Amino acid sequence: MNRFFTPFLRYCRGSAVPGVSGSRAVSLTSLYAILLGLFMLSQSQAVLASETTATTSMNVEQPAAAVAAPQELQQFDSEQQRQLYLKLTAELRCPQCQNQNIADSNAVVAVDMREKTYELVQQGLNRNDVLDYMIDRYGDFVHYQPPVNRVTIWLWLAPVLLLISLFLLQLKRRANQITPKETYPHDSATQKMDTDRDEANKMTESKIQLNKELDQIIEHYRSKKS
Amino acid sequence: MRKVLFYVPLVLFLGLSLFLLSGLFSDPRERDAVMVGKPLPAFSLPDLMNPAQTWTPDALKGQPFLLNVWGVWCPTCNAELGYMTQLRNEQGVRIIGLYYVLPEDPMFGQVFNLPVLQAEVATKLQQFGDPYQFNILDQQRRLSLDLGVSGAPEHFIVDAEGIVRAHHIGDINPQVWRTKLAAVYQQFAGGSQP
């Protein structure tokens, strides 16, 4: 256990770690982990934000090109409802053109869903009510944000688990590297390497033991002298 | 430990391969069948050929049926008329049409014209076969939206109590009928078959 965490503790204290490349690898892994985490967090918001902008411009530019042209120029009672409508049409997915949201698609069903969304927003329904209305009819598929349940939880857990296991693996490798380099046998057969290294470790331990004993003897004689 | 680590890439690779392989055989149009097990949504819509007649969910009950969402503008729907006529004649399947009207664009002078539509439908049915007991006209596509229809053709199997038992997106051909829909239909048609 100690052997396993020592490199990590040393790394945290910022003290010199034998084998510079190893410590750099650990720092790179953690840096990568942090960056990836930040990226994932920012991603979901960024997608929604960009789609909302796209919707706003679309409604301004091409009302005439839309299939049900007169209905596309929608009047809202309040700015809040307008924003809600834009948000909803951006995050609802067209069941026909599966890679477009309903704001972006001119498939018949997307036009109908936009109209229905408008109707429901005008009736004063909130975001969750409208989403439930659509999910009741078209399934979870229709919302770009998947619900967290027994099956989909892995979408969030898998990357985290992967990162943790990579990090642990890296630590483990660092822990192995801490044994002095010269004792590594230059042998390609992995099994042999394992046994060889164990022997080498034993040798190192006996060396340390020997050094200790020598130190004790020297200490003993020094104290006698004085 | 090292021995185990040696096989990690191989295991990861095989796992990924299996995952991607299963993707080759999945249907991207397949969605969660949210309607299955639910009763038909409320509606009151006219008959396509005889608008004086109004259809409601209650009027359809009593015998299981295949509800076919279709339109003359949809080539796949026209192509499956022949096979569905065969199903009606040979297996006595009760088929009801839900006519899916495309929105008209007034910018191009398009307006809804029932007599013209009726004539077009009659021509198509004469040409390809007429599997329908009758057709329900869903001009605003409100029933279609409530049923979770994303386009045409789509099919629902509805039992005698008006509960949706299957939802199939896409056309019906002998293979689809045999593997996916026949069993469900027979299960609920059991008693009422002649």
Side-chain angles (χ1 to χ4, degrees):
Chain A
M1 201 62 187
N2 197 24
R3 203 172 140 228
F4 190 77
F5 280 111
T6 313
F8 179 65
L9 294 175
R10 279 200 191 160
Y11 171 73
C12 291
R13 279 204 306 267
S15 63
V17 184
V20 184
S21 63
S23 78
R24 194 178 292 152
V26 172
S27 66
L28 273 181
T29 316
S30 41
L31 186 69
Y32 174 71
I34 293 164
L35 281 179
L36 193 68
L38 284 177
F39 175 72
M40 278 159 56
L41 271 179
S42 65
Q43 196 61 2
S44 55
Q45 293 308 313
V47 168
L48 278 183
S50 69
E51 276 168 1
T52 316
T53 350
T55 321
T56 322
S57 57
M58 193 208 85
N59 270 17
V60 173
E61 281 163 20
Q62 355 170 275
V67 177
Q71 284 108 358
E72 293 289 335
L73 286 171
Q74 276 133 347
Q75 303 293 319
F76 292 92
D77 295 342
S78 69
E79 176 63 18
Q80 228 175 354
Q81 285 188 344
R82 199 181 76 89
Q83 290 300 335
L84 178 61
Y85 173 80
L86 291 181
K87 195 166 186 292
L88 280 167
T89 51
E91 62 183 299
L92 283 168
R93 181 181 186 181
C94 170
Q96 182 69 13
C97 333
Q98 306 197 339
N99 291 326
Q100 286 180 300
N101 55 28
I102 62 170
D104 199 19
S105 171
N106 260 342
V108 178
V109 66
V111 176
D112 290 348
M113 283 169 73
R114 278 204 297 270
E115 251 174 65
K116 195 76 205 179
T117 306
Y118 174 71
E119 240 180 71
L120 295 176
V121 168
Q122 282 293 82
Q123 283 169 22
L125 270 66
N126 64 26
R127 176 171 173 270
N128 282 336
D129 292 337
V130 179
L131 287 178
D132 285 347
Y133 184 93
M134 292 300 177
I135 289 170
D136 268 356
R137 285 155 180 76
Y138 289 96
D140 291 331
F141 173 91
V142 83
H143 193 202
Y144 266 117
Q145 199 175 342
V148 183
N149 61 33
R150 212 154 40 89
V151 179
T152 57
I153 187 71
W154 297 105
L155 290 174
W156 287 270
L157 281 188
V160 177
L161 288 180
L162 194 70
L163 274 179
I164 291 175
S165 54
L166 276 178
F167 190 65
L168 290 180
L169 194 68
Q170 198 65 46
L171 282 179
K172 183 98 180 133
R173 287 176 72 177
R174 277 290 299 119
N176 286 343
Q177 268 179 20
I178 213 162
T179 47
K181 262 196 176 142
E182 66 268 21
T183 61
Y184 269 107
H186 299 283
D187 196 336
S188 56
T190 37
Q191 201 173 2
K192 198 161 182 300
M193 262 173 88
D194 271 353
T195 51
D196 281 4
R197 201 189 52 225
D198 286 349
E199 273 170 29
N201 280 344
K202 270 183 210 159
M203 274 172 65
T204 333
E205 276 166 25
S206 61
K207 255 188 199 170
I208 293 170
Q209 194 63 33
L210 208 65
N211 275 339
K212 268 187 186 166
E213 281 170 22
L214 274 173
D215 283 348
Q216 277 173 1
I217 295 168
I218 291 168
E219 201 61 27
H220 179 70
Y221 280 101
R222 271 190 186 153
S223 59
K224 251 190 179 178
K225 250 186 188 173
S226 60
Chain B
M1 184 63 190
R2 261 163 198 277
K3 230 177 169 181
V4 176
L5 280 182
F6 180 75
Y7 288 106
V8 165
L10 182 68
V11 171
L12 283 179
F13 172 74
L14 287 179
L16 188 67
S17 304
L18 280 176
F19 176 69
L20 293 177
L21 189 73
S22 69
L24 285 182
F25 303 102
S26 73
D27 181 1
R29 289 181 308 176
E30 195 88 19
R31 297 199 318 260
D32 297 344
V34 276
M35 274 316 292
V36 173
K38 288 188 195 168
L40 280 176
F43 65 88
S44 174
L45 292 170
D47 188 284
L48 171 63
M49 291 305 185
N50 175 23
Q53 163 90 48
T54 302
W55 295 108
T56 59
D58 285 333
L60 307 181
K61 284 179 188 171
Q63 210 188 334
F65 59 93
L66 180 73
L67 185 69
N68 171 214
V69 184
W70 77 293
V72 287
W73 49 269
C74 150
T76 316
C77 309
N78 298 335
E80 66 178 357
L81 285 173
Y83 181 65
M84 288 200 300
T85 309
Q86 202 181 321
L87 281 179
R88 177 193 193 171
N89 293 339
E90 290 171 11
Q91 300 186 31
V93 179
R94 181 189 182 209
I95 301 175
I96 296 173
L98 178 62
Y99 196 87
Y100 191 85
V101 181
L102 278 190
E104 302 80 25
D105 193 342
M107 297 289 290
F108 293 96
Q110 294 172 350
V111 279
F112 181 73
N113 188 330
L114 188 59
V116 171
L117 178 63
Q118 285 171 337
E120 279 177 9
V121 169
T123 315
K124 285 285 182 204
L125 293 183
Q126 210 168 19
Q127 193 181 346
F128 294 101
D130 183 0
Y132 303 112
Q133 192 178 28
F134 53 85
N135 268 281
I136 302 168
L137 177 63
D138 190 12
Q139 199 194 331
Q140 303 300 321
R141 297 173 301 283
R142 285 298 155 99
L143 176 56
S144 298
L145 187 85
D146 283 340
L147 279 168
V149 168
S150 58
E154 288 194 18
H155 303 82
F156 298 86
I157 290 179
V158 184
D159 71 8
E161 272 72 55
I163 312 282
V164 176
R165 294 300 179 180
H167 181 184
H168 172 66
I169 299 172
D171 66 324
I172 285 193
N173 50 49
Q175 195 201 350
V176 167
W177 180 255
R178 252 202 328 272
T179 58
K180 194 175 169 186
L181 299 175
V184 184
Y185 184 78
Q186 300 306 343
Q187 186 190 337
F188 292 100
S192 55
Q193 280 282 48

